[in-house]
Amino acid sequence: MYFNGINFKDNSEYSYACAKIRALENKLLTRNDFIRMLDLDNEQILQYLIDHNYHVEGIDPSDVNFLQVFSNEWSSVVEMVTEMLDNEMINKAVLIKYDFLNLKILVKTSIQNDEERQNVDDIKLFQVTTVPGDDLKEIFFEGNFDRLPDYLKHEIKVFEQIENISPSAVDIILDKAMYSKLLDFANKSGSEFLYKYYQRLVDLKNLLNLFRLKSLNKEFKDYSMILMEGGLLDTSTLSKLYAESMDMIVNRLHYLDYYNELKAGFDYYEQTNSLSEMERLFDNWMIEFVKTGKMVLFGPEAIIGYYFAKENELKNLRIVLTGKENNLDKEMVTERLRENYV
Amino acid sequence: MSLGYVLGLIGVSSAVILAGIGSAIGIGTAGMAASGAMSEDPKKFGKYLLLIALPGTQGIYGFIIAFLAFGKLAAIGAGADSFYKGFSLMLACQPIAWSGLFSAIWQGKVCAGGVGMTSKQPNESGKAMVMAVFVEFYAVLGLIISIFALG
Amino acid sequence: MAVIKVNPNRMELMNLKKRLKLAARGHKLLKGKQDELVQRFIEIVHENRELRISVEEELSKAYSSFLIAKAVMPEEELEEAIMIPSMEMHLTPGQKAIMNLRVPTFELKAGGDPVCYGYTETSVELDNAIQIFAEILKKLVRLAEVEKSVIELAEEIIRTRRRVNALEYILMPNLQETIKFVKMKLDENERSTLARLMKVKDIVREKRQS
């Protein structure tokens, strides 16, 4: 399935990386694996993960800290992928997500009350980023922002000018900035695939947020604040839609590629008053999109695709394990599992 | 020594050089892919081996033609028609030189793709071979025409 | 039944009778209070039970949707999202009287937006959880109020019943017994005086004849 005829360039430089990715794709967990895991105990699950190439060095098998396993695995995946891509812009377009997350944590710490504030040394930040977390922390608290790359410097300067900012505004400003930077880097990297991925992601997020804010009875003002530019759906179209009722919005958007997902998600919302199904279907749609990267024999697409597939896999794993740990209803867990990449 | 002899020599060397370059690039591509795949699954080496070796055949064809043409070099002599003899010898080498060059490069890509496919579907390695052999076919055509032209 | 130590005379008898009457009235009043308390108690217990069931149901729903949010979002992102709450709560304690009994009341003033995060990088599941938690808070405070009232009422009922029982089974029977005893004593005194008088009369009559 080709989405709007993306022109995938052939690039034999990536033949080593792509063949490695192909072999790694074999080890990705499938839906059946996840369902089977629901009946296993922790030790067996750990064995399962080891069989699927998870990095579990230094993990005590009798008392498994899965969060640790996940974050180890994730940083090793990020490291491997960025090394394979070996393209500064693509790497930035993948990594600055975590720079911005670090930045959010730091800004929020700085506006916290004194009694709630964490000790500076206790703040845990992501290290696999374009600016390592520890450096960012140091720069942030010293106030020496000139050492930061431009794309982060500008955002911090924004916060210096605002006083009494609400925590959600911190997120909103930084999220918006992050997506515009992601799109920008993806565009500059020349990877059409990545750029189109982010465009569609922005669209889906805008659309999902539209429904979320409407279901929370928020005003249009709030929505216009979080509406992100750069997607394929025009922001003015979405703004106009906000005034309409939800089922009208769904009808109006019948021309979208993901209309079926939208409709099914909305039907679920009408029954249960929860948008979780829409979110899941949108996630699935993005995975469907990422799957087109597999068609490319050699090129960054397959690697980027693997990166998103792994992100998705970890999400599914977390769903399974949290469900198991807290004895959530199995049906509830399985119906929230996301589509698989392989 | 005549101009014809030099032209003939250019033909001989081009058959080896161009087909060799093609094979080297092709094997390189397929080999990188195989090593990438084997970095995760070293046991499949046997299955990848043929796929890696296949783009190498063009180099061998080039070498055969060059060898045959080399035998004819002496017959060029220094007569009035030596230029034409040498020139036609050079032309006779060209089919395998160019078809070898490009078919080997592309065959390398097909084989690299085949490596990727085999790593996912170990039982389908035969199909990957078949596809690579399709590319080989055109190198063989070049080889045959070169042989006829030499004959 | 124990008899109260009193001097068996008419004065005491009158006092005792007065006390018995008073006790009977007190008993009646207390009995009425007890009945009323029990009635109130039953009402409030019903409310309490309903509240508790619904709160527990909603809490477990909120927790499971929060768990799902925790599952869907990476831990670090979730922690970042809910790092600083933006909702403000003010709880004003007060008092209210149920039949002279002081029970606490709480007034909850909640301001601000429960959603303290940006939407784009958070899961819908978090919205669900946060919303349920914000709604449940009012109910939780009401539950605290009602539950405390139930405890206070129950204690008051126990106290009242003890008093009623003390009156009914100890004080009143004792008084009755004592009254009976005093009456008997007085009667006996009267009889013995009568007998003595008759004896004296006999002696006087004998002396006169002789």
Side-chain angles (χ1 to χ4, degrees), chain A residues 67 97 101 104-105 108-109 111-112 126 167-168 171 175 178-179 205 209 212-213 216 218 226 228 274-276 279 315 318-319 322 326 328 332 336 338, chain C residues 63-65 67-68 70-77 80-86 113-128 131:
Chain A
L67 288 176
K97 194 178 163 194
L101 191 58
K104 277 197 252 179
I105 296 173
K108 279 197 173 178
T109 317
I111 61 168
Q112 247 172 349
F126 283 92
S168 55
D171 284 354
D175 284 346
M178 179 180 89
Y179 275 93
K205 297 248 174 195
N209 283 343
R212 280 172 82 178
L213 268 78
L216 292 167
K218 298 272 177 191
I226 59 168
M228 293 182 292
S274 159
L275 286 167
S276 57
E279 185 181 56
K315 188 184 263 189
R318 263 199 311 273
I319 294 174
T322 323
N326 299 288
L328 292 182
M332 198 164 151
R336 279 179 167 77
R338 265 65 174 165
Chain C
Y63 274 115
S64 68
S65 65
L67 283 173
I68 290 284
K70 207 174 139 190
V72 175
M73 289 170 68
E75 195 205 4
E76 296 88 351
E77 284 177 30
E80 186 276 326
I82 52 177
M83 212 163 135
I84 309 175
S86 59
D113 194 349
V115 179
C116 63
Y117 45 84
Y119 299 87
T120 313
E121 284 298 278
T122 50
S123 166
V124 171
E125 315 274 2
L126 191 60
D127 290 4
N128 296 347
Q131 255 195 315

Side-chain angles (χ1 to χ4, degrees), chain C residues 146-178:
Chain C
V146 171
E147 202 136 279
K148 187 68 192 161
S149 306
V150 166
I151 294 170
E152 293 276 330
L153 265 179
E155 273 175 10
E156 183 66 14
I157 288 173
I158 291 173
R159 259 201 306 273
T160 316
R161 190 158 58 202
R162 205 184 296 134
R163 274 194 221 148
V164 170
N165 284 352
L167 281 176
E168 194 174 340
Y169 295 111
I170 299 171
L171 190 63
M172 278 162 61
N174 281 2
L175 282 174
Q176 278 159 349
E177 198 84 353
T178 317

